[in-house]
């Protein structure tokens, strides 16, 4: 009776019809949007952002309706069997079979994820420390996948193997010291090894002090603000000038303090050029909100926090030209992104990073404009130095 009243309910049928109508309209709107996008320019096409979420919500609701209806049908069938004194549905077997099906489908889903999504993984690391990062990643991944497969097979396998049966009674096991030791000590050993391995790797990566006798790292300032990265290189003296947030202005974007003599020859750049096999020290700053310097191919990521300068030291090992050949893309470029959602134009926070040979780097550096522009000189009211004319004196004989 309950199922019959559900089917005959005018409200339920009205809701279902409304959802079907909505789904049809959404599908037609999506087709129209695709046609419009194909014929119009990207600037003119304005598809609704609600189409895809609405479509999947509708599918979810329909699936819920289907599951509910199938459940009602099975319930009616089960009651009919009992009324006729026949053997009812063995729901324990049904649940056990569902667990096995779920295990198989889930394992295939995990395999599909590795096969399809795994193809999107980054190519080999383009920095020296990135190789160690990748070793840690793959070690952790292999261990967790092994544990995942074993635990899922045991979990759903036990549910199927020991489903309820009238011929069998469960064994009550209140406590077992051996089992407690195994599932406590084994994970502790594995996690301890991973933590120690990670600790020493991270210590090597974050060691920003140049070793004795080692060539000094090249300092590059990168400053984040909504919504761009500003780059600054040292000049011929090899040192960057100090900065002060109070000096930030329209012309002095990063607030360079020109009372510091080392700031006079600082250079500004639109593209981050890095010499291959040279140690680079990124000095990371932020002016407004938290940003994050993210250079995935170099395995570099560190937050840029206002008022808290940070730094990251790394050594590029693969030039842009070499990586283009490796990935088969002649237009490939390394990119520095912002990995924090810092506002509406967050997507704009990108800069091209180009790794080149030392000679090309020096040639590029020689072409960069000084940060101390004429506008900054004017704003700071730098005194214009004029050559003093020499006075010719005539020797007079009195």
């Amino acid at each position: 009776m309950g199922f019959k009243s559900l089917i005959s309910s005018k409200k339920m049928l009205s809701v279902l019809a409304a959802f079907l109508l909505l789904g049809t309209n959404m599908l037609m709107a999506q087709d129209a949007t695709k046609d419009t996008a194909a014929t119009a320019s990207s600037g003119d096409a304005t598809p609704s952002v609600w189409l895809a979420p609405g479509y999947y919500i509708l599918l979810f609701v329909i699936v819920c309706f289907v599951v509910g209806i199938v459940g009602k049908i099975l319930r009616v069938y089960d009651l009919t069997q009992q009324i006729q004194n026949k053997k009812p549905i063995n729901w324990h077997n049904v649940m056990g079979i569902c667990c096995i099906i779920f295990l198989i489908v889930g394992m295939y889903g995990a395999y599909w994820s590795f096969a399809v999504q795994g193809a999107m993984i980054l190519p080999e690391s383009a920095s020296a420390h990135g190789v160690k990062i990748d070793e840690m990643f793959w070690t952790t991944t292999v261990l967790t996948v092994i544990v995942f497969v074993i635990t899922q097979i045991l979990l759903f396998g036990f549910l199927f193997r020991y489903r309820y049966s009238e011929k069998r009674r469960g064994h009550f096991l209140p406590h077992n010291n051996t089992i407690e030791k195994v599932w406590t000590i084994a994970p502790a050993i594995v996690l301890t090894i991973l933590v120690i391995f990670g600790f020493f790797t991270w210590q090597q990566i974050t060691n920003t002090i140049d070793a004795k006798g080692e060539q000094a790292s090249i300092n590059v300032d990168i400053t984040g603000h909504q919504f761009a990265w500003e780059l600054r290189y040292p000049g011929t003296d090899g040192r960057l000038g100090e900065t002060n947030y109070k000096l930030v202005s329209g012309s002095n974007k990063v607030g360079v303090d020109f009372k510091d003599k080392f700031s006079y020859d600082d250079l500004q750049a639109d593209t981050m050029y890095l010499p291959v096999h040279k140690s680079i020290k990124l000095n990371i700053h932020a002016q407004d909100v938290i940003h994050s310097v993210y250079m995935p191919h170099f395995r570099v990521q560190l937050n840029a926090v206002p008022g808290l300068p940070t730094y990251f030291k790394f050594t590029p090992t693969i030039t842009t030209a070499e990586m283009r050949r490796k990935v088969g893309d002649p237009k490939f470029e390394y990119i520095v992104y912002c990995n924090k959602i810092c506002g509406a134009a967050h997507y704009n926070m990108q800069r091209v990073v180009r790794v080149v040979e030392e000679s090309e780097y020096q040639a590029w550096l020689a072409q960069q404009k000084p940060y101390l522009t004429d506008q900054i000189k004017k704003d700071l009211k730098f005194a214009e130095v004029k050559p003093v004319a020499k006075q010719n004196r005539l020797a007079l004989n009195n």
Side-chain angles (χ1 to χ4, degrees):
M1 293 298 293
F3 177 71
K4 184 177 180 180
S5 62
L6 174 66
I7 295 297
S8 61
S9 173
K10 294 182 180 180
K11 292 183 179 179
M12 297 303 296
L13 290 176
S14 300
V15 171
L16 181 60
F19 274 116
L20 291 174
L21 180 61
L22 176 63
T24 303
N25 290 337
M26 283 186 173
L27 288 173
M28 294 176 63
Q30 283 185 326
D31 292 338
T33 301
K34 291 179 181 178
D35 295 338
T36 303
T39 56
S41 63
S42 58
D44 298 332
T46 56
S48 173
V49 297
W50 295 107
L51 289 180
Y55 174 69
Y56 288 110
I57 290 173
L58 176 62
L59 284 182
F60 175 75
V61 172
I62 293 175
V63 168
C64 290
F65 266 94
V66 171
V67 171
I69 292 172
V70 171
K72 287 290 184 180
I73 292 173
L74 291 176
R75 180 60 178 165
V76 170
Y77 173 77
D78 193 30
L79 291 174
T80 304
Q81 292 290 95
Q82 294 180 33
I83 291 173
Q84 297 176 357
N85 294 322
K86 295 181 180 180
K87 190 176 181 179
I89 297 175
N90 190 333
W91 289 104
H92 303 293
N93 288 341
V94 172
M95 292 302 297
I97 294 172
C98 287
C99 287
I100 293 299
I101 294 174
F102 191 87
L103 173 64
I104 295 172
V105 173
M107 285 299 177
Y108 176 77
Y111 166 77
W112 178 87
S113 179
F114 279 113
V116 177
Q117 308 296 334
M120 303 178 186
I121 198 168
L122 290 169
E124 63 178 301
S125 171
S127 65
H129 79 274
V131 176
K132 300 174 182 177
I133 293 288
D134 288 351
E135 289 176 356
M136 285 184 56
F137 171 79
W138 285 115
T139 301
T140 305
T141 300
V142 169
L143 288 174
T144 51
V145 167
I146 292 173
V147 173
F148 167 77
V149 172
I150 293 174
T151 54
Q152 298 309 303
I153 292 175
L154 290 176
L155 175 62
F156 292 101
F158 268 63
L159 288 173
F160 175 77
R161 174 66 180 81
Y162 297 106
R163 64 192 182 278
Y164 175 78
S165 174
E166 296 178 352
K167 302 177 182 179
R168 182 178 60 240
R169 289 290 179 267
H171 175 65
F172 179 64
L173 185 67
H175 185 73
N176 188 298
N177 286 331
T178 303
I179 295 177
E180 293 283 351
K181 291 176 183 177
V182 169
W183 70 35
T184 301
I185 295 175
I189 293 174
V190 174
L191 290 175
T192 301
I193 294 173
L194 290 176
V195 168
I196 293 175
F197 180 35
F199 171 76
F200 285 109
T201 302
W202 184 245
Q203 188 180 41
Q204 293 174 4
I205 292 172
T206 55
N207 182 18
T208 58
I209 301 175
D210 295 326
K212 187 176 181 181
E214 182 183 11
Q215 188 176 4
S217 300
I218 298 174
N219 280 288
V220 179
D221 256 22
I222 179 168
T223 303
H225 62 83
Q226 294 175 316
F227 295 95
W229 293 112
E230 303 296 337
L231 302 175
R232 187 166 62 109
Y233 281 77
T236 54
D237 58 12
R239 295 181 61 176
L240 286 166
E242 297 292 332
T243 59
N244 188 334
Y245 72 94
K246 296 180 180 179
L247 301 176
V248 174
S249 63
S251 56
N252 190 359
K253 294 182 179 179
V254 299
V256 176
D257 187 356
F258 289 100
K259 293 180 181 179
D260 182 3
K261 63 179 182 179
F262 295 111
S263 64
Y264 293 141
D265 62 350
D266 287 355
L267 305 173
Q268 56 180 323
D270 294 326
T271 301
M272 184 185 293
Y273 268 70
L274 304 175
V276 68
H277 300 305
K278 297 289 184 180
S279 179
I280 308 297
K281 183 181 178 183
L282 284 182
N283 301 296
I284 302 170
H285 309 269
Q287 293 180 340
D288 35 38
V289 298
I290 296 179
H291 301 279
S292 186
V293 173
Y294 180 46
M295 304 165 69
H297 291 87
F298 302 100
R299 312 304 193 253
V300 171
Q301 180 179 337
L302 200 64
N303 285 352
V305 184
L308 183 64
T310 53
Y311 43 82
F312 198 104
K313 183 180 173 183
F314 69 102
T315 302
T317 56
I318 301 177
T319 64
T320 300
E322 291 173 340
M323 187 60 79
R324 286 173 178 173
R325 290 194 294 270
K326 288 178 180 290
V327 301
D329 182 4
K331 296 182 179 180
F332 170 83
E333 295 284 5
Y334 295 120
I335 302 290
V336 54
Y337 302 94
C338 175
N339 204 24
K340 284 286 185 291
I341 302 178
C342 54
H346 159 73
Y347 60 90
N348 278 335
M349 294 197 63
Q350 300 182 22
R351 288 283 188 182
V352 172
V353 180
R354 198 160 290 165
V355 181
V356 296
E357 298 293 341
E358 176 69 19
S359 57
E360 186 176 349
Y361 170 73
Q362 293 297 337
W364 170 85
L365 199 64
Q367 297 175 355
Q368 300 313 298
K369 297 179 180 180
Y371 192 87
L372 184 58
T373 61
D374 293 336
Q375 184 61 44
I376 294 179
K377 292 178 182 179
K378 182 179 179 181
D379 293 343
L380 297 178
K381 299 179 181 179
F382 273 28
E384 185 177 354
V385 180
K386 296 181 180 180
V388 180
K390 294 184 179 179
Q391 296 180 357
N392 296 325
R393 294 185 178 181
L394 299 176
L396 299 176
N397 296 324
N398 292 331

